[in-house]
Amino acid sequence: MKGGGIENSAFEPPSPDLGRQRRASPAGAGAGDPAREEGPCGWGRCAPKALQLCNNPEGYLAAYSLLAIFQGIVVNGLINVSISTIEKRYELNSSLTGLISASYDIAFCILSLFVSFFGERGHKPRWLAFSAFMIGLGSLTFSLPHFGSGKYHYGTKIEDTCQVSGTTSANFTCSTSTKSSLPNYLYIFILGQLMLGIGGTPLYTLGTAFIDDCVPKHKSSLYIGIGYAMSLLGPAIGYVLGGQLLNIYIDIQIPGSAKMSQDDPRWLGAWWIAFLACFFAVWLLIIPFSCFPKHLPGTAKIQAEKISETHNDGSEALVEAKNIGKSFKDFPVALLILLKNPVLMTLILASSSEALVATGFTTFLPKFIENQFGKTSSFSATLGGLVLIPAAALGQIISGLLISKCKMDCRSIIKFMIGTYSVALLLNTVFLFAKCGNEPLAGVSETYNGTGTLHNLTAPCNADCRCLRSMYYPVCGRDEVEYFSPCFAGCASHFFNNMKKTYHNCSCIGKPKRESGSEDFLYEAVPGKCPTQCKLLPLFLTFFFFAVIFTYMAVTPTTVAILRCVSDKQRAFALGVQSLFLRLLGTIPGPILFGLAIDNSCTLWDINECQIKGACWVYDNERMAYLLMGISAVCKIITVIAVVMAIWLYKPPPARSTPSGENSGTVSAIHT
């Protein structure tokens, strides 16, 4: 789900529940008799005995879990890890890559209501075979820009040293033909994401509903919990796998003329390999899903034994009297009933607000760590995954256990949500004290040894070098100031000393701040950014880890509260409505809004000699931290207000005659 909205169960309110709690009432919901549609596992008359060993809930759960894992690997793992690399390779800004991330939810948003409405009466395993087909095709499509864009050109010259002979350090001709076509691959990425969204819709609606159909109520939470765990495992694998693959050069083999390391800002990793591998793996899953029958053996008996638990909130009588939901003509009336439910809508507003923050951080947390704490993109991606995924999983498990053990009613659950959201809001203040300032950058935040002006890379010491802004190759001077390139540092030569490159005769670099034992070279610089002096990364990760835990401790309670505050026959549809608003208000604008905030904190854009704007080279770290904290804080305040309104508006139904044991069973079945 994607945040729930993050699109995989890892990062947003469990969209997987979307179809799970269909209709608990035994009297079939207008669909065919399950007993007549139970059958062997196979393809028509071809039903080998060996396949019948898988013709049970356990066999289906195994196939479902594998598909959820690969879906999570691609959508919530690999894409988020690859965002920073894709930006640089295809000259996109963060706003456009945020649009790529949101495209998944656009497809999911459009299809979720209709798929859950029609698919519930159809052949769910075949819907999942279609899901596997589209996820595989989307993964393949997402990797295609690598094969269409040709070899990666890291620059026409490795060293951009100062040449004072009257010629530029690198020849550059500006013409209309110099405008790059690389940004046009944005549309291929969006197409791939739309395909992935189409594939994810049946998986997290009908796929989970099929599990709930074919297992007894007291086992439902166990089976769905396993499915949740698998869908959470996917993004974790995706983050780690994608992060490691970024250590491989984008074209596999580094050109012989290039002497590049991973610390070189021009280094781009092989982001595309895992997408191609997932394409082949996911398509293999079409085979098992295509052989399952419409209903597993024993489904009819299980359905007959289930007892529906409804809420007498006023709409139940209307739904029962007119049998709303039996045909598509009831769609507008059924939707209107839910939209008029104030408790449902306030809970949806709360979950959507949280989904906006969750998807934003899921998409850009690696980039935040990379720029804020001076880490490599691969290390930042791995670290982001190791923080987000376990924290999200732990939060959902803790809240699920608490709801089940304490047997909370709807009002108690909403009170519990107020507590967890409030704690998460307080922990959000970590951005105020665990932020890092920028290291001094000559021509941006620091003058050139007292000469030149801020926000101007050219100074008297490098004016004759005629350096190019399109050649970003930062070096760290002995004066502990960072320079845009050796040319802008005024360095005229370089040497290799024990395989370590050093630059010399640098006219812009001042004297070392710390006395060294040797004065052999008055001016010297080394490739790469200056080491960050900020040691706050462990503190930030600790607070952020607990903030994620408390945020996701409200995910399962939100779903349970939604299921309880609507008519029993509208529970699945209510989750469909939640999924729609979750994406319209949360997961779609989330990455775009965070991308705009990050772009707004840029202090140095890649603008070449033709004034064509590319990606951002340098960000204002403090401004970035404040902007992200501001967005997060506003959303969390809206969430708390919405949940407080929900508990104020909620009117509990009259006492039920349902035995408490049955009620407890339903709670545990819902929380996953």
Side-chain angles (χ1 to χ4, degrees), residues 504-528:
H504 307 285
N505 300 322
C506 304
S507 58
C508 294
I509 298 179
K511 294 182 179 180
K513 294 184 178 180
R514 293 187 295 269
E515 292 294 332
S516 62
S518 173
E519 291 295 335
D520 292 341
F521 303 101
L522 183 59
Y523 301 115
E524 181 177 322
V526 293

Side-chain angles (χ1 to χ4, degrees), residues 70 73-74 78 136 139-140 143 147 241 245 271-284:
F70 281 109
I73 288 175
V74 175
L78 297 178
S139 184
L140 172 65
S143 69
F147 301 99
L241 175 64
L245 288 174
W271 61 271
W272 53 274
I273 295 178
F275 287 97
L276 207 57
C278 287
F279 155 64
F280 292 108
V282 173
W283 268 21
L284 290 176

Side-chain angles (χ1 to χ4, degrees), residues 371-450:
N371 289 278
Q372 195 78 201
F373 302 102
K375 304 300 179 183
T376 64
S377 58
S378 60
F379 179 79
S380 300
T382 303
L383 197 60
L386 293 176
V387 171
L388 283 171
I389 309 297
L394 188 59
Q396 295 190 49
I397 293 172
I398 291 174
S399 62
L401 290 173
L402 288 175
I403 292 174
S404 179
K405 295 295 183 182
C406 300
K407 300 179 181 179
M408 298 181 188
D409 58 15
C410 190
R411 184 177 293 277
S412 300
I413 290 173
I414 299 177
K415 289 180 180 179
F416 176 78
M417 291 165 56
I418 295 175
T420 58
Y421 281 135
S422 298
V423 174
L425 174 60
L426 293 176
L427 291 173
N428 187 67
T429 57
V430 64
F431 290 97
L432 291 176
F433 54 85
K435 64 183 185 301
C436 298
N438 292 78
E439 297 301 316
L441 176 60
V444 177
S445 60
E446 186 93 356
T447 61
Y448 284 88
N449 197 23

Side-chain angles (χ1 to χ4, degrees), residues 167-364:
T167 61
T168 58
S169 58
N171 294 325
F172 190 92
T173 303
C174 182
S175 67
T176 56
S177 62
T178 59
K179 186 174 182 180
S180 174
S181 62
L182 290 175
N184 294 331
Y185 284 100
L186 168 72
Y187 304 105
I188 305 297
F189 289 120
I190 291 176
L191 177 62
Q193 275 282 63
L194 291 174
M195 291 179 177
L196 290 169
I198 293 172
T201 304
L203 174 63
Y204 288 113
T205 55
L206 306 177
T208 318
F210 191 79
I211 295 177
D212 192 61
D213 289 344
C214 64
V215 298
K217 181 181 292 187
H218 66 280
K219 290 185 178 180
S220 180
S221 61
L222 173 63
Y223 282 70
I224 294 176
I226 293 174
Y228 260 115
M230 294 301 101
S231 60
L232 287 168
L233 182 61
I237 296 174
Y239 265 91
V240 176
L241 175 64
Q244 293 305 310
L245 288 174
L246 291 181
N247 293 324
I248 302 174
Y249 184 67
I250 189 169
D251 293 320
I252 305 298
Q253 186 174 4
I254 301 177
S257 60
K259 296 178 181 179
M260 253 193 298
S261 67
Q262 295 174 27
D263 295 327
D264 192 313
R266 298 169 302 165
W267 174 277
L268 294 181
W271 61 271
W272 53 274
I273 295 178
F275 287 97
L276 207 57
C278 287
F279 155 64
F280 292 108
V282 173
W283 268 21
L284 290 176
L285 294 175
I286 297 175
I287 299 173
F289 282 115
S290 65
C291 72
F292 282 109
K294 186 173 183 179
H295 294 289
L296 297 179
T299 297
K301 183 175 181 293
I302 291 171
Q303 292 280 47
E305 293 174 350
K306 288 187 176 181
I307 300 175
S308 175
E309 300 217 3
T310 63
H311 292 275
N312 186 17
D313 62 352
S315 62
E316 178 66 23
L318 177 62
V319 173
E320 291 290 345
K322 295 188 176 182
N323 198 17
I324 293 176
K326 187 175 182 180
S327 67
F328 183 69
K329 291 187 296 184
D330 298 330
F331 186 91
V333 177
L335 181 60
L336 184 61
I337 290 174
L338 294 179
L339 295 178
K340 285 185 175 181
N341 187 325
V343 180
L344 172 65
M345 297 312 295
T346 51
L347 291 175
I348 288 177
L349 175 62
S351 61
S352 300
S353 181
E354 283 300 301
L356 187 150
V357 177
T359 50
F361 276 120
T362 302
T363 304
F364 292 109

